[in-house]
Amino acid sequence: MQEPLLGAEGLDYDTFPEAPASPRERTRAGALQNRRVFLATFAAVLGNFSFGYALVYTSPVIPALKLSSDPALHLNKIQASWFGSVFTLGAAAGGLSAMVLNDLLGRKLSIMFSAVPSVIGYALMAGAHGLWMLLLGRTLTGFAGGLTAACIPVYVSEIAPPGVRGALGATPQLMAVFGSLSLYALGLLLPWRWLAVAGEGPVLVMILLLSFMPNSPRFLLSKGRDEEALQALTWLRADSEVHWEFEQIQDNVRRQSSRVSWAEAQDPRVYRPLLIAVLMRFLQQLTGITPILVYLQTIFDSTSVVLPSQQDAAIVGAVRLVSVLIAAVTMDLAGRKVLLYVSASIMFVANLTLGLYVQFGPRSLTPNSTVGLEIMTLGDTEQSPATSFNYLTLIPLLATMLFIMGYAMGWGPITWLLMSEVLPLRARGVASGLCVLVSWLTAFVLTKYFLLAVNAFGLQVPFFFFSAICLLSLLFTGCCVPETKGRSLEQIEAFFHTRRMSFRP
């Protein structure tokens, strides 16, 4: 019988002694040795590109449909609101389905399966002749996005070596931002139907590339396909000498040959990482990212910031892109927790600034100042000309940019990465789907009730609430989130067996 990875615990027992990396290990962490991992990651995260594209599809489309001369496609404000928000319900359903498909089909095939609802959804919107086709197409693209959001981070984390897993873990968020920017750019050039047609392209390329990529070695081992798993790992590492890593993964998988039962789910070794992952996704949404993005233009209008919607989208997109790039570069250098601290601190300052500006700023809110928020949808507002320019009115724009920067460099990408890192292998497929389900249900509730809160209590109250959540996120990071930088997935999983609060002995 093989010896377990963890021996008996003692006062001086070091779970993961820090051994200096050998020259061979340092070489393997280099870009040249990991080129096949990068290729497989790129093929997978094209699904995130499509997700980002579909998420903001309504931004240029809703204004066009509100001016449509076709009565079957003309949207009123309520219909436009549903057209924008139904995506999150589809994404929640996609996360729910991932709880089954992730372990039934595997990570790679689940990602490829997401192309089916995505292609059908875009086709429905491109050829829409009524509202039902628009809503169904939007729901299907949301379903595909929720499915990929649960499967892609798991696939990437399971194929990546520890030295580059942090950087690769930021690529789903990075590609989603690229997808959104591409939609904004194409929206200036193409009619709304052709925007849906263009959305098919990345999906088809993803299917083509993933057809040549291996499945996750850990998934293959969990299904008893040891020879395929060894071949997949050998191909990914571009090295025939992967037996030590393979045996370590194999040992971990054999000790988890069955799925987690309800009784086992009450074991701290299982529910601790699950709670960490779920609560991080919950707190991520409660920081306010979705309602702020959805109602960004109207927030600017109600705070007297005169900004064309095209410039608004470009500025926000550029800030998100730069911030995610910063996170990708620094994640394996500074560590996950440092970036989470910095991210939550920046978002706290930004949300507090916005709340204080609305409460005490130079702009005087009239009783009707929130009416636009009540009936607003993306791209639905008209800007009133400014009678005089006040530099203080730049504060909402700068604070929003600061918020987007803070989110994109920490709590945006790292929550996805940590979800795929800390979840135990036996529960990884189901638990990742649960995380996505919780995330998008929370996003839907926030997006729908944000306007009610604004009209009942004022625009400053949601921002003060988001600020309090950011402080809670700081406390949660310090108390509950382990630092996973440089650790293999097997080491991270073994850590929760020790019931410690950190990796240090």
Side-chain angles (χ1 to χ4, degrees), residues 332-344:
D332 283 319
L333 298 175
R336 283 61 155 158
K337 292 189 70 169
V338 171
L339 289 180
L340 287 175
Y341 285 132
V342 173
S343 173

Side-chain angles (χ1 to χ4, degrees), residues 285-409:
Q285 288 294 340
L286 287 181
T287 59
I289 181 61
T290 301
I292 287 177
L293 286 178
V294 169
Y295 301 115
L296 183 63
Q297 187 60 47
T298 298
I299 290 172
F300 284 163
D301 290 340
S302 66
T303 52
S304 300
V305 175
V306 179
L307 188 68
S309 58
Q310 296 89 343
Q311 294 182 22
D312 163 49
I315 290 175
V316 170
V319 170
R320 289 178 67 194
L321 178 60
V322 171
S323 302
V324 174
L325 286 172
I326 293 173
V329 172
T330 59
M331 205 176 294
D332 283 319
L333 298 175
R336 283 61 155 158
K337 292 189 70 169
V338 171
L339 289 180
L340 287 175
Y341 285 132
V342 173
S343 173
S345 299
I346 291 175
M347 289 191 294
F348 167 74
V349 171
N351 276 319
L352 184 62
T353 301
L354 284 166
L356 292 175
Y357 178 87
V358 174
Q359 182 75 43
F360 302 109
R363 179 191 53 81
S364 59
L365 283 173
T366 65
N368 296 326
S369 61
T370 58
V371 172
L373 277 171
E374 183 179 5
I375 61 175
M376 171 275 171
T377 57
L378 279 174
D380 184 38
T381 58
E382 293 182 2
Q383 298 166 343
S384 58
T387 56
S388 60
F389 181 77
N390 187 338
Y391 282 102
L392 288 178
T393 60
L394 290 175
I395 291 178
L397 172 61
L398 296 177
T400 304
M401 291 171 60
L402 186 66
F403 172 83
I404 296 297
M405 180 185 72
Y407 174 83
M409 69 182 296

Side-chain angles (χ1 to χ4, degrees), residues 8-15 500 504-505:
E9 293 185 39
L11 293 175
D12 299 323
Y13 176 61
D14 186 357
T15 309
R500 294 180 180 176
R504 296 187 180 91

